[in-house]
Amino acid sequence: MCQCLLHAVQDPREEVIQAWYMDDSDEDQRLPHHKEPKEFVSLEKLDELGVLSWKLDADNYETDEELKKIREARGYSYMDFCEVCPEKLPNYDEKIKHFFEEHLHTDEEIRYCVAGSGYFDVRDLDDKWIRIWVKKGAMIVLPAGSYHRFTLDSDNYIKAMRLFVGDPVWTPHNRPNDDLPARKEYVAQFLNKETSKQAVDAAA
């Protein structure tokens, strides 16, 4: 297949979102933490874990019709912005440590990166960490009940639009919190379904 055709069929989200399995190093959390050799994760794999994503026009988010359609379709009525960097975020050191503690929310976590970049880490079916690198133009939805964490990368800056259905509730529930209804629903909808699928595939 010619290179021009390969480029033509590439998912545009890959320009602003990349994902890979993490190593077990305790080095600076802002480093990429690739395994050796590198082990990338497809966007389809993220979809199977309930992680949704889009590539949007971050330079024109105020008038972007695609963003408007997504908000209307998914009921994202609330919107604000959060800048995470040492100069802009009060109690930066405490907050960035807080963000990196593994937790879940009882509602979706929706973030649209309009400037900068950062890492969202999520768990796969085997409880292994997948690092998702979002850059300007990436919008990501982490499903309710999914364990995750966030950190800046080595550029130390992200400006993200935060969206929410109704009045925002930012309460994190640190792991373990497997008895929460949102966690049970996530496990039933995504983890158990994929485990059953894998078992069927293995038996075929």
Side-chain angles (χ1 to χ4, degrees), residues 79-147:
M79 182 269 286
D80 70 8
F81 290 91
C82 179
E83 279 189 283
V84 182
C85 63
E87 298 78 20
K88 297 287 184 70
L89 186 67
N91 302 316
Y92 169 80
D93 290 330
E94 179 182 338
K95 289 282 183 64
I96 203 70
K97 181 180 178 183
H98 181 66
F99 294 157
F100 201 60
E101 292 179 1
E102 185 175 3
H103 63 279
L104 62 79
H105 300 285
T106 55
D107 298 278
E108 291 179 339
E109 179 167 323
I110 308 107
R111 297 292 184 270
Y112 174 16
C113 178
V114 298
S117 52
Y119 295 126
F120 290 91
D121 300 336
V122 299
R123 295 285 192 178
D124 78 348
L125 299 178
D126 299 315
D127 215 35
K128 296 177 181 177
W129 280 119
I130 296 174
R131 171 148 284 189
I132 306 171
W133 189 22
V134 299
K135 293 175 276 188
K136 180 181 177 181
M139 179 170 164
I140 190 171
V141 176
L142 305 181
S146 62
Y147 285 121

Side-chain angles (χ1 to χ4, degrees), residues 2 15 20 30 34 47 60 115 139 178 195 201:
C2 70
E15 298 175 18
W20 54 82
R30 298 169 302 163
H34 278 289
D47 290 341
N60 297 289
M139 179 170 164
D178 295 335
T195 301
D201 291 343

Side-chain angles (χ1 to χ4, degrees), residues 7-23:
H7 181 73
V9 298
Q10 181 181 359
D11 190 324
R13 295 177 297 171
E14 293 176 2
E15 298 175 18
V16 295
I17 302 170
Q18 294 178 10
W20 54 82
Y21 277 104
M22 297 183 67
D23 63 20

Side-chain angles (χ1 to χ4, degrees), residues 54 56 61-81 108 110 112 139 141 161-166:
W54 295 263
L56 300 173
Y61 59 79
E62 293 179 350
T63 56
D64 185 7
E65 285 299 317
E66 186 174 0
L67 174 60
K68 182 179 178 182
K69 289 177 183 177
I70 293 169
R71 291 187 62 181
E72 290 177 351
R74 299 185 65 82
Y76 298 151
S77 54
Y78 176 89
M79 182 269 286
D80 70 8
F81 290 91
E108 291 179 339
I110 308 107
Y112 174 16
M139 179 170 164
V141 176
M161 178 187 293
R162 304 189 299 181
L163 298 165
F164 205 85
V165 178

